Amino acid sequence: MKRDNMLNKKFLKLLACLVLAGSLYAQAQTKHSFSFGDQDFMLDGKPFQMISGEMHYPRVPREAWRARMKMAKAMGLNTIGTYVFWNLHEPQKGKFDFSGNNDVAEFVKIAQQEGLWVILRPSPYVCAEWEFGGYPYWLQNEKGLIVRSKEKQYLDEYRKYIIEIGKQLAPLQINHGGNILMVQIENEYGSYAADKEYLTINESLFKEAGFDGLLYTCDPANDVAKGHLPGLLPAVNGIDNPAKVKKLVNDNHGGKGPYYIAEWYPAWFDWWGTKHHTVPASKYVGPLDSVLTAGISINMYMFHGGTTRGFMNGANYKDTSPYEPQTSSYDYDAPLDEAGNATAKFMAFRNVIAKHLPPGTNLPEVPAAKPSMAIESIKLTGSGALTENLPVARKSEHPLTFEDMNQDYGYVLYRTTLENAKSGVLKISALRDYAIIMLNGKRAGILDRRLKQDSLAITIPAGTVTLDILVENMGRINFGKYLLENKKGITKQVMLGGKELLGWNMYSLPFSDVSKLKYKMTDTDAPVVKKGAFELTTIADTYLDMRKWGKGVVWINGHNLGKYWSIGAQQTLYVPAEWLKKGNNEVVVLELLKSDQNELSSLSKPILDLQQ
């Protein structure tokens, strides 16, 4: 009897799963129509107001995508917006990757299963505080190639990319039974140039890739006329005055709508060395209410920022301001915090949105906050000098850039030998971006592009001396004209006392795989790698407290959590519960400045607003 009951339970469970799967499949196959009315978007012939929030699939662990979608529904969103990131999907020329956290098609499908529409933004330029604005580094190795232009090589590579994206995502458009309502071509192009022929080429490439539904452009208010392509819907970024939004769209779209704010900013992002940006919800409640009352569709940038992990942070740079590399935390003071929990801003926006729901519609309950914990101190028992982990050298009379070495991200160690050299001023022209200078393995100084530093006086010992310069790529510029000047490393020459230094060995350190690092104990003040392990009986989110450390990167169970830097304001690294496991967990730290640290602690809450 007991066995029969067990079999019955298993059968009923299987039957329930099949029913659910059938329901989701039927939902996915339901045909819908989406079109432009004179004033409104029309979904199945009826007015439809998009209440959308931006959320980027690589900034959230794949295992947590569905949970974040449920939070979006609970706030009242009916749509999710996301960029598509070229440098993730074609990290090396001709080698495409849509696996794991890069499975953007699965991200879109999960949104559909959760009852959400999608706005897709493959651009291919995205900005997004993302490395090189989303462009793959190797484009810079194509001689003469100019991004965001009609230059033939760029268009050839762009075409190959967008065709691959189309294979993944074009079948998921609403006119093919999917949930992608609209697709954006280019991205704030009016802030960069005004070449309508270039925009027309973009449109034709998208159509060739299978994006045969509704296309649109988006630009800040002052740049809409320059960045809009006649015939497409002009979306507006950065303003929320209903009258101004409608006038801008009318002026550029034949006197009619529909009206869409493609980027409505409820806060802002952070960069290293500045305060954490926060803006109270009270500043936005009124404008959100007025926009929704006016029937205007909206996309919050960001609804959920998440984390820019690995080496994917970008940087801003203008002639009038310093180089500004962005932090790993992309919390953004968004309605959903970095870990995916509802904030006061979330609840305030939810209350506004609830007022604009169709009669009889109720919002789902807000899911409980994810549990978090502080882990007992983690001892790092393995320690090794970075110089004990060097690969085979690349040799050249003159320093090579990262791109010359076919290296995308991370670090390069430049080494040369000095024979009876005189002490003097070491000058590194056009350093990109941060350098630790070492003489015979001991740190002699630091140069930081943010501070416009390119030289320092060094005292050189007598005899034969090894000069090492460890250079970090702190993020390629993601906005403006300097997209065209984005090579990394030592991009010109190194001078000592006014004389150029020649005869370099270069060691590529991309840190794309930390499983084979060597931990030979070394007493040094130079950069080191550290390794430790810790046991868990309970799994929850946690935040590594890096306040006692200097500058570097942390990996947990092989996952790159991002960068830390004592200058702040970010002082913690978010560790998602999804990447921890019961039992043994491994941690690896690359530390550039404080090689004597041997212990990690963690907190149950982040510290994002402390500068040192």
Side-chain angles (χ1 to χ4, degrees), residues 117-136:
W117 303 102
V118 167
I119 295 294
L120 193 70
R121 312 173 77 192
S123 181
Y125 163 73
V126 300
C127 188
E129 291 71 63
W130 194 265
E131 227 273 349
F132 203 3
Y135 284 124

Side-chain angles (χ1 to χ4, degrees), residues 377-571:
S377 293
I378 303 167
K379 303 293 184 182
L380 302 179
T381 55
S383 181
L386 190 62
T387 51
E388 295 290 334
N389 284 279
L390 300 180
V392 175
R394 176 88 175 265
K395 298 178 183 294
S396 172
E397 273 295 281
H398 302 275
L400 302 176
T401 66
F402 279 51
E403 292 74 15
D404 293 333
M405 299 174 66
N406 294 316
Q407 181 176 335
D408 44 14
Y409 317 113
Y411 309 80
V412 169
L413 183 80
Y414 295 80
R415 173 174 288 174
T416 192
T417 301
L418 308 177
E419 294 286 355
N420 298 313
K422 294 182 179 179
S423 300
V425 173
L426 183 77
K427 181 179 175 64
I428 305 176
S429 300
L431 170 67
R432 310 279 177 78
D433 301 295
Y434 183 91
I436 298 176
I437 292 90
M438 293 167 279
L439 297 171
N440 289 337
K442 296 186 178 297
R443 191 168 74 216
I446 292 171
L447 296 177
D448 185 345
R449 182 184 181 188
R450 298 177 314 116
L451 306 177
K452 299 184 178 181
Q453 296 170 340
D454 66 359
S455 57
L456 78 159
I458 58 174
T459 301
I460 302 175
T464 301
V465 174
T466 299
L467 169 65
D468 285 338
I469 305 174
L470 180 68
V471 179
E472 177 184 359
N473 166 9
M474 289 206 297
R476 291 183 180 87
I477 294 162
N478 57 260
F479 182 81
K481 66 180 182 179
Y482 288 101
L483 282 170
L484 304 178
E485 298 178 27
N486 247 338
K487 292 191 174 183
K488 290 300 182 181
I490 296 176
T491 62
K492 292 186 179 178
Q493 70 269 24
V494 180
M495 310 287 287
L496 177 59
K499 182 180 178 180
E500 184 177 3
L501 297 180
L502 303 173
W504 292 91
N505 287 339
M506 280 135 299
Y507 301 89
S508 178
L509 298 164
F511 279 93
S512 53
D513 179 7
V514 295
S515 64
K516 297 179 177 62
L517 291 173
K518 301 171 186 175
Y519 299 92
K520 182 179 178 182
M521 293 299 290
T522 307
D523 183 14
T524 177
D525 66 350
V528 292
V529 287
K530 305 270 182 171
K531 184 178 182 179
F534 56 99
E535 295 284 329
L536 291 178
T537 56
T538 302
I539 295 174
D541 285 349
T542 191
Y543 301 86
L544 296 180
D545 182 358
M546 307 308 296
R547 285 176 291 179
K548 293 181 180 179
W549 292 73
K551 187 179 197 297
V553 185
V554 180
W555 292 260
I556 292 273
N557 295 329
H559 295 282
N560 188 323
L561 301 180
K563 296 183 177 183
Y564 63 90
W565 196 357
S566 60
I567 63 172
Q570 177 186 345
Q571 299 289 347

